[in-house]
């Protein structure tokens, strides 16, 4: 693990010797591992790094490939290079204690600051497999590609190419979660290209797999291309509680503008499922909203579910409103597909309390023999 908060961090220098450094006070410019660190500006430059963690090296009971400080940090992807980060697996009886999550890059206890990813290189980042099925009741299980939970969240910009994958997550007694990108706020802009994918999830209690899970606001603009996929979600055991959810994007608010291009796909949600959705709006706020403007393009598609299947939808919980606004030259395709054929199954292309179409194009479809509506 590359722990940038460590006072005794180790790395291999260009002279092939192992060195120990206090990352909080010293910069590193002689790494032979494809990265450099400026502690004053808190900038990590990746230039062909390959960081693969085996086992469960952890910070505060969470595994990481790269653990970043909780304040503002910048990751620069050097042009023409590809870097790979893989967090360790926490499975079986070899966990060695409670491990709550395995994350490729991040700091899930960051309560301030911002993680910025920029440059013109490529980054592939993966969370590890997490499984407590053979353990005593220790910890919830989350796997994420990028997990940075400060209020200012994550900004991905310039020409950065980022692929973020959550790993498989299993829990025999509690919740299980997987996400490509997890944060309070995410902004993707300029010419960035993002792929975010949640892994397969099997849990006893609350369980979900989201390509992107954003708690407050997701903003996508510029000439960006975003592809986001939820993974397959099933239950653990015949007495499992709660319901499973899979969505390409889960957020209370989403805004697409300029020439942004977004593809969002829910995964299979089976065995006591709540929904599969391309985009599902939910959260603690009272006003849920999706806004498309400019030349933005959105394709949102739900997949197999044994209950609800949505292209794009907002939670119908009482005490809140939900609004979809499409304007200017924006283009929206919302498709609900392949719901199972039973009396409880609903297949809906678009579900919002309020829909305002002030320009652009909206296409909604529900492709199933179950109860279906293109727009409600």
């Amino acid at each position: 693990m590359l722990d940038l908060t460590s006072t005794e961090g180790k790395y291999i220098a260009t002279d092939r010797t192992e060195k120990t450094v206090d990352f909080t006070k010293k910069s590193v410019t002689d790494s032979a591992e494809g990265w450099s660190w400026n502690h004053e500006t808190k900038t990590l430059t990746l230039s062909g790094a390959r960081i693969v963690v085996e086992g469960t090296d952890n910070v505060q009971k969470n595994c990481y490939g790269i653990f970043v400080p909780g304040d503002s940090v910048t990751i620069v992807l050097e042009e023409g290079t590809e870097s790979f980060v893989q967090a360790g697996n926490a499975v079986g009886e070899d966990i060695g204690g409670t491990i709550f999550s395995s994350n490729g890059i991040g700091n899930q206890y960051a309560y301030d600051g911002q993680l910025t990813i920029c440059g013109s290189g490529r980054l592939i980042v993966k969370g590890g497999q997490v499984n407590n099925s053979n353990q005593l009741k220790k910890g919830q299980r989350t796997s994420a590609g990028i997990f940075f939970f400060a209020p200012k969240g994550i900004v991905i910009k310039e020409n950065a190419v980022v692929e973020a994958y959550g790993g498989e997550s299993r829990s025999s007694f509690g919740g299980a979660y997987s996400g490509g990108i997890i944060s309070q706020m995410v902004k993707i802009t300029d010419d960035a290209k993002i792929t975010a994918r949640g892994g397969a999830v099997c849990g006893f209690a609350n369980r979900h797999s989201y390509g992107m899970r954003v708690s407050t606001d997701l903003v996508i603009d510029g000439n960006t291309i975003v592809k986001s996929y939820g993974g397959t979600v099933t239950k653990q055991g015949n007495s499992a509680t709660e319901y499973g959810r899979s969505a390409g994007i889960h957020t209370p608010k989403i805004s697409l503008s300029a020439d942004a291009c977004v593809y969002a796909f829910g995964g299979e949600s089976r065995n006591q499922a709540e929904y599969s959705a391309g985009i599902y709006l939910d959260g603690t706020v009272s006003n849920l909203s999706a806004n498309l403007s400019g030349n933005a393009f959105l394709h949102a598609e739900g997949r197999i579910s044994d209950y609800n299947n949505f292209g794009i939808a907002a939670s119908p919980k009482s005490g809140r409103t939900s609004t979809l606004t499409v304007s200017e030259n924006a283009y929206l395709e919302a498709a609900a597909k392949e719901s199972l054929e039973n009396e409880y199954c609903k297949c809906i292309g678009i579900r919002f309390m309020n829909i305002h179409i002030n320009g652009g194009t909206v296409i909604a479809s529900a492709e199933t023999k179950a109860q279906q509506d293109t727009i409600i």
Side-chain angles (χ1 to χ4, degrees), residues 16 25 37 40 48 75-76 138 143 152-153 171 228 276 331:
R16 298 301 171 182
K25 297 180 179 179
W37 169 246
E40 294 180 346
I75 297 177
V76 178
K138 294 181 178 180
S143 178
K152 296 179 183 178
S171 175
S228 196
S276 172
Y331 191 102

Side-chain angles (χ1 to χ4, degrees), residues 242-300:
E242 305 296 333
Y243 294 87
R245 307 167 185 89
S246 181
I249 295 172
H250 183 279
T251 180
K253 295 183 179 181
I254 182 171
S255 173
L256 278 65
S257 60
D259 296 300
C261 184
V262 177
Y263 300 86
F265 299 88
E268 293 189 17
S269 185
R270 292 183 177 271
N271 307 121
Q272 203 169 320
E274 182 176 343
Y275 62 77
S276 172
I279 297 179
Y280 195 83
L281 272 60
D282 198 3
T284 59
V285 300
S286 59
N287 298 309
L288 308 172
S289 64
N291 295 287
L292 282 72
S293 62
N295 296 307
F297 172 88
L298 170 62
H299 178 92

Side-chain angles (χ1 to χ4, degrees), residues 119-140:
S120 300
R122 183 183 183 193
L123 170 63
I124 302 170
V125 56
K126 296 183 177 182
Q129 179 185 0
V130 289
N131 185 348
N132 73 346
S133 295
N134 296 323
Q135 292 285 301
L136 297 175
K137 294 184 177 182
K138 294 181 178 180
Q140 292 181 323

Side-chain angles (χ1 to χ4, degrees), residues 51-53 55 62-66 84-91 99 101-106 108 123-131 141-147 163-169 177-182 195-200:
I51 298 171
V52 178
V53 177
N62 300 282
C63 307
Y64 293 90
I66 299 177
F84 179 84
V85 179
Q86 168 73 64
N89 297 327
V91 298
I99 300 295
S101 68
S102 179
N103 312 303
I105 293 176
Q108 69 189 81
L123 170 63
I124 302 170
V125 56
K126 296 183 177 182
Q129 179 185 0
V130 289
N131 185 348
R141 291 287 178 253
T142 300
S143 178
I146 302 174
F147 195 161
E163 298 178 22
Y165 302 96
E168 180 184 19
S169 179
Y177 316 100
S178 183
I181 296 174
I182 301 176
T195 300
R197 188 183 294 271

